[in-house]
PDB file of all heavy atoms in Angstrom:
ATOM      1  N   SER P 119       0.325   2.005 -22.601  1.00 97.00           N
ATOM      2  CA  SER P 119       1.524   2.636 -22.022  1.00 97.00           C
ATOM      3  C   SER P 119       2.115   1.806 -20.892  1.00 97.00           C
ATOM      4  O   SER P 119       1.439   1.451 -19.932  1.00 97.00           O
ATOM      5  CB  SER P 119       1.175   4.030 -21.496  1.00 97.00           C
ATOM      6  OG  SER P 119       2.266   4.514 -20.715  1.00 97.00           O
ATOM      7  N   GLY P 120       3.415   1.515 -21.024  1.00 96.00           N
ATOM      8  CA  GLY P 120       4.128   0.800 -19.963  1.00 96.00           C
ATOM      9  C   GLY P 120       4.878   1.741 -19.044  1.00 96.00           C
ATOM     10  O   GLY P 120       5.647   1.307 -18.201  1.00 96.00           O
ATOM     11  N   ARG P 121       4.641   3.035 -19.229  1.00 96.00           N
ATOM     12  CA  ARG P 121       5.350   4.015 -18.393  1.00 96.00           C
ATOM     13  C   ARG P 121       4.715   4.115 -17.019  1.00 96.00           C
ATOM     14  O   ARG P 121       3.581   3.727 -16.802  1.00 96.00           O
ATOM     15  CB  ARG P 121       5.297   5.396 -19.059  1.00 96.00           C
ATOM     16  CG  ARG P 121       6.308   5.613 -20.160  1.00 96.00           C
ATOM     17  CD  ARG P 121       6.476   7.115 -20.441  1.00 96.00           C
ATOM     18  NE  ARG P 121       5.203   7.785 -20.638  1.00 96.00           N
ATOM     19  CZ  ARG P 121       4.535   7.803 -21.790  1.00 96.00           C
ATOM     20  NH1 ARG P 121       5.023   7.185 -22.844  1.00 96.00           N
ATOM     21  NH2 ARG P 121       3.389   8.435 -21.896  1.00 96.00           N
ATOM     22  N   GLY P 122       5.469   4.704 -16.097  1.00 97.00           N
ATOM     23  CA  GLY P 122       4.880   5.084 -14.827  1.00 97.00           C
ATOM     24  C   GLY P 122       5.530   4.506 -13.601  1.00 97.00           C
ATOM     25  O   GLY P 122       5.795   3.305 -13.537  1.00 97.00           O
ATOM     26  N   MET P 123       5.834   5.401 -12.646  1.00 98.00           N
ATOM     27  CA  MET P 123       6.255   5.044 -11.295  1.00 98.00           C
ATOM     28  C   MET P 123       7.701   4.576 -11.166  1.00 98.00           C
ATOM     29  O   MET P 123       8.170   4.335 -10.063  1.00 98.00           O
ATOM     30  CB  MET P 123       5.334   3.984 -10.663  1.00 98.00           C
ATOM     31  CG  MET P 123       3.878   4.401 -10.538  1.00 98.00           C
ATOM     32  SD  MET P 123       3.617   5.745  -9.351  1.00 98.00           S
ATOM     33  CE  MET P 123       3.492   4.820  -7.809  1.00 98.00           C
ATOM     34  N   THR P 124       8.443   4.398 -12.286  1.00 98.00           N
ATOM     35  CA  THR P 124       9.850   4.015 -12.116  1.00 98.00           C
ATOM     36  C   THR P 124      10.673   5.269 -11.836  1.00 98.00           C
ATOM     37  O   THR P 124      10.214   6.386 -12.059  1.00 98.00           O
ATOM     38  CB  THR P 124      10.453   3.326 -13.364  1.00 98.00           C
ATOM     39  OG1 THR P 124      10.713   4.313 -14.363  1.00 98.00           O
ATOM     40  CG2 THR P 124       9.529   2.245 -13.897  1.00 98.00           C
ATOM     41  N   TRP P 125      11.916   5.053 -11.406  1.00 98.00           N
ATOM     42  CA  TRP P 125      12.733   6.211 -11.026  1.00 98.00           C
ATOM     43  C   TRP P 125      13.081   7.107 -12.211  1.00 98.00           C
ATOM     44  O   TRP P 125      13.460   8.252 -12.005  1.00 98.00           O
ATOM     45  CB  TRP P 125      13.961   5.788 -10.228  1.00 98.00           C
ATOM     46  CG  TRP P 125      15.053   5.034 -10.971  1.00 98.00           C
ATOM     47  CD1 TRP P 125      15.712   5.409 -12.101  1.00 98.00           C
ATOM     48  CD2 TRP P 125      15.631   3.771 -10.580  1.00 98.00           C
ATOM     49  NE1 TRP P 125      16.661   4.468 -12.446  1.00 98.00           N
ATOM     50  CE2 TRP P 125      16.644   3.455 -11.530  1.00 98.00           C
ATOM     51  CE3 TRP P 125      15.408   2.897  -9.516  1.00 98.00           C
ATOM     52  CZ2 TRP P 125      17.425   2.296 -11.455  1.00 98.00           C
ATOM     53  CZ3 TRP P 125      16.190   1.745  -9.456  1.00 98.00           C
ATOM     54  CH2 TRP P 125      17.180   1.446 -10.406  1.00 98.00           C
ATOM     55  N   ASN P 126      12.939   6.603 -13.440  1.00 96.00           N
ATOM     56  CA  ASN P 126      13.183   7.520 -14.557  1.00 96.00           C
ATOM     57  C   ASN P 126      11.922   7.943 -15.304  1.00 96.00           C
ATOM     58  O   ASN P 126      12.008   8.560 -16.349  1.00 96.00           O
ATOM     59  CB  ASN P 126      14.269   6.988 -15.503  1.00 96.00           C
ATOM     60  CG  ASN P 126      13.946   5.628 -16.067  1.00 96.00           C
ATOM     61  OD1 ASN P 126      12.919   5.052 -15.734  1.00 96.00           O
ATOM     62  ND2 ASN P 126      14.807   5.110 -16.926  1.00 96.00           N
ATOM     63  N   ASP P 127      10.744   7.641 -14.752  1.00 97.00           N
ATOM     64  CA  ASP P 127       9.507   8.185 -15.313  1.00 97.00           C
ATOM     65  C   ASP P 127       9.206   9.524 -14.648  1.00 97.00           C
ATOM     66  O   ASP P 127       9.530   9.728 -13.478  1.00 97.00           O
ATOM     67  CB  ASP P 127       8.321   7.247 -15.040  1.00 97.00           C
ATOM     68  CG  ASP P 127       8.393   5.987 -15.891  1.00 97.00           C
ATOM     69  OD1 ASP P 127       8.698   6.105 -17.094  1.00 97.00           O
ATOM     70  OD2 ASP P 127       8.141   4.903 -15.344  1.00 97.00           O
ATOM     71  N   LYS P 128       8.543  10.404 -15.424  1.00 95.00           N
ATOM     72  CA  LYS P 128       8.092  11.677 -14.850  1.00 95.00           C
ATOM     73  C   LYS P 128       6.947  11.404 -13.884  1.00 95.00           C
ATOM     74  O   LYS P 128       6.007  10.689 -14.242  1.00 95.00           O
ATOM     75  CB  LYS P 128       7.589  12.599 -15.972  1.00 95.00           C
ATOM     76  CG  LYS P 128       8.558  13.670 -16.352  1.00 95.00           C
ATOM     77  CD  LYS P 128       7.940  14.832 -17.161  1.00 95.00           C
ATOM     78  CE  LYS P 128       6.687  14.554 -17.945  1.00 95.00           C
ATOM     79  NZ  LYS P 128       6.738  14.937 -19.342  1.00 95.00           N
ATOM     80  N   PRO P 129       6.978  11.969 -12.673  1.00 94.00           N
ATOM     81  CA  PRO P 129       5.853  11.757 -11.748  1.00 94.00           C
ATOM     82  C   PRO P 129       4.545  12.210 -12.405  1.00 94.00           C
ATOM     83  O   PRO P 129       4.503  13.238 -13.071  1.00 94.00           O
ATOM     84  CB  PRO P 129       6.203  12.656 -10.551  1.00 94.00           C
ATOM     85  CG  PRO P 129       7.675  12.854 -10.626  1.00 94.00           C
ATOM     86  CD  PRO P 129       8.028  12.823 -12.085  1.00 94.00           C
ATOM     87  N   GLY P 130       3.504  11.396 -12.232  1.00 91.00           N
ATOM     88  CA  GLY P 130       2.195  11.774 -12.783  1.00 91.00           C
ATOM     89  C   GLY P 130       1.970  11.306 -14.204  1.00 91.00           C
ATOM     90  O   GLY P 130       0.839  11.296 -14.689  1.00 91.00           O
TER      91      GLY P 130
END
Side-chain angles (χ1 to χ4, degrees):
Chain P
S119 169
R121 279 198 310 277
M123 300 293 275
T124 76
W125 70 55
N126 57 358
D127 288 316
K128 257 197 336 232

